[in-house]
Amino acid sequence: MKLLPENIKVLYFASHCVEPYVEIISVKDPKRRLSLCSSEDSEAEEPEYQDDALLVLSDHSQLLDDHHLEQLAAQMPPRTQGYPWQLVYSTAIHGSNLKTLYRNMADLDSPVLLVIKDMHKKVFGAFSSHPFRVSKYCYGTGETFLFSFSPDFQAYRWSGENSYFVSGSLDSLQIGGGGGGFALWLDSDLYRGASFSCPTFHNAPLSTQEDFIVQDLEVWTVQK
């Protein structure tokens, strides 16, 4: 039997919240390669991020200005840096429909950046390690994080307490969970939303009020 190189590991993941699967990784891979269902005693170590890369958009954004892009750039995982970001969904262009959002991402295999402006003009959102889709199980990795720009920029990373990163259905999109509330919840019309503190990220509510109305919404993906 041929032995694997020392820097290669084969991991088998199984949990009540995800479908079992096998992944082959390099031991040098950072925390971004961790499964959403790591064991309870796994430590939520901080992955290494670079702060010298610029977040470049290949399309115009109605929600993100240069200051926003500078703040987000320092938070992005290394695998996204150096690539432009392409707009894949916008309520201003595609209308307000969760099914359309899913459909626009059906062929994607790269991280996405969700940006929301509520009716109080507050801008916030989430970076997801995986594109949004309908799934019976939670999905995502410890790369996933939340952010808010007002009153000051805040990024909320994975706490390691649970692995409820993203869950999508035809009725709603949820990010974070546990303890009775979602960090970010959007309805099927992408009109009503909610944001609560949750164990996944130990975040403060992102929106001005816990229940909010969406004014504009954009989703961006890495263009490779």
Side-chain angles (χ1 to χ4, degrees), residues 23-40:
E23 186 172 3
I24 300 175
I25 67 169
S26 165
V27 296
K28 292 184 179 180
D29 283 349
K31 174 188 163 185
R32 62 185 176 85
R33 305 299 299 167
L34 290 179
S35 163
L36 68 154
C37 283
S38 54
S39 61
E40 293 182 0

Side-chain angles (χ1 to χ4, degrees), residues 148-159:
S148 175
F149 292 108
S150 178
D152 299 307
F153 179 76
Q154 293 287 337
Y156 301 97
R157 299 199 174 279
W158 179 39
S159 68

Side-chain angles (χ1 to χ4, degrees), residues 2 4 47 60 67 78-79 92 113 120 136 144 178 185 189 198:
K2 186 177 180 180
L4 290 174
H60 173 71
H67 186 53
R79 68 180 174 121
L113 184 69
H120 295 278
K136 181 180 179 181
T144 304
W185 176 91
D189 295 321
C198 81

Side-chain angles (χ1 to χ4, degrees), residues 90-157:
S90 168
T91 51
I93 299 172
H94 304 101
S96 299
N97 189 285
L98 183 58
K99 291 181 180 178
T100 304
L101 184 151
Y102 289 141
R103 185 165 56 249
N104 286 13
M105 299 184 195
D107 297 326
L108 294 183
D109 187 24
S110 55
V112 294
L113 184 69
L114 169 67
V115 187
I116 299 168
K117 178 187 282 188
D118 67 16
M119 285 298 184
H120 295 278
K121 310 300 182 183
K122 187 170 184 179
V123 180
F124 53 91
F127 171 90
S128 173
S129 60
H130 292 69
F132 301 129
R133 66 178 187 271
V134 175
S135 176
K136 181 180 179 181
Y137 302 95
C138 302
Y139 57 91
T141 73
E143 282 182 324
T144 304
F145 67 88
L146 310 172
F147 60 87
S148 175
F149 292 108
S150 178
D152 299 307
F153 179 76
Q154 293 287 337
Y156 301 97
R157 299 199 174 279

